[in-house]
Amino acid sequence: MDHDDQISTFFPVEESVDLYAVLSVSNDSKLDEIKKSYRRLALKYHPDKHATASESAKSEASLKFQHVGFAYAVLSDEKRRRRWDLTGKTDEVLISLQERMVGRLILSKCLIAS
């Protein structure tokens, strides 16, 4: 995993992460499905729900709550989701360059075809 990518902050020990799997949705899910799953999981792992649990259970729930929040932040934003789908990364600088390159490639194909 690229340690410059923001995802490594939320998933530091994971070699690869599937943000769709974090929210228990498929990669072709609509925004409403993503939102519904996020709300369900956020309630399930919210720290207040685990106030009387053991320290390890609190820690695990808190980590999952952060994972769910990050996955939702990426997948609920059209631009960030498209970046994730294209590259599997969330790094804005790197992805912006890649998006421009893909855009130029598509534009040049259109110009050639016309």
Side-chain angles (χ1 to χ4, degrees):
M1 183 175 298
D2 184 357
H3 292 287
D4 292 333
D5 192 349
Q6 187 181 20
I7 198 166
S8 62
T9 303
F10 291 92
F11 299 88
V13 297
E14 308 281 334
E15 190 58 35
S16 67
V17 176
D18 179 356
L19 296 181
Y20 292 100
V22 170
L23 292 178
S24 302
V25 296
S26 64
N27 63 348
D28 61 348
S29 293
K30 303 289 183 212
L31 181 57
D32 286 343
E33 296 171 75
I34 291 170
K35 193 178 294 186
K36 183 178 178 180
S37 184
Y38 163 72
R39 288 179 176 159
R40 180 180 52 82
L41 293 169
L43 283 173
K44 179 178 180 178
Y45 295 118
H46 194 281
D48 290 348
K49 294 271 187 176
H50 300 276
T52 60
S54 68
E55 287 304 314
S56 64
K58 284 182 192 179
S59 178
E60 185 177 331
S62 177
L63 184 60
K64 287 185 179 187
F65 183 73
Q66 291 175 15
H67 289 177
V68 166
F70 179 76
Y72 180 71
V74 172
L75 299 179
S76 65
D77 180 284
E78 186 178 324
K79 187 175 181 181
R80 292 177 78 189
R81 182 177 180 178
R82 186 173 53 247
R83 286 179 181 153
W84 175 257
D85 290 343
L86 287 172
T87 66
K89 296 188 182 295
T90 61
D91 184 31
E92 303 264 340
V93 175
L94 173 67
I95 309 242
S96 179
L97 176 61
Q98 290 172 337
E99 282 181 335
R100 282 185 288 196
M101 290 171 56
V102 168
R104 287 181 184 151
L105 178 64
I106 291 170
L107 179 62
S108 65
K109 286 183 178 181
C110 290
L111 292 173
I112 291 170
S114 61

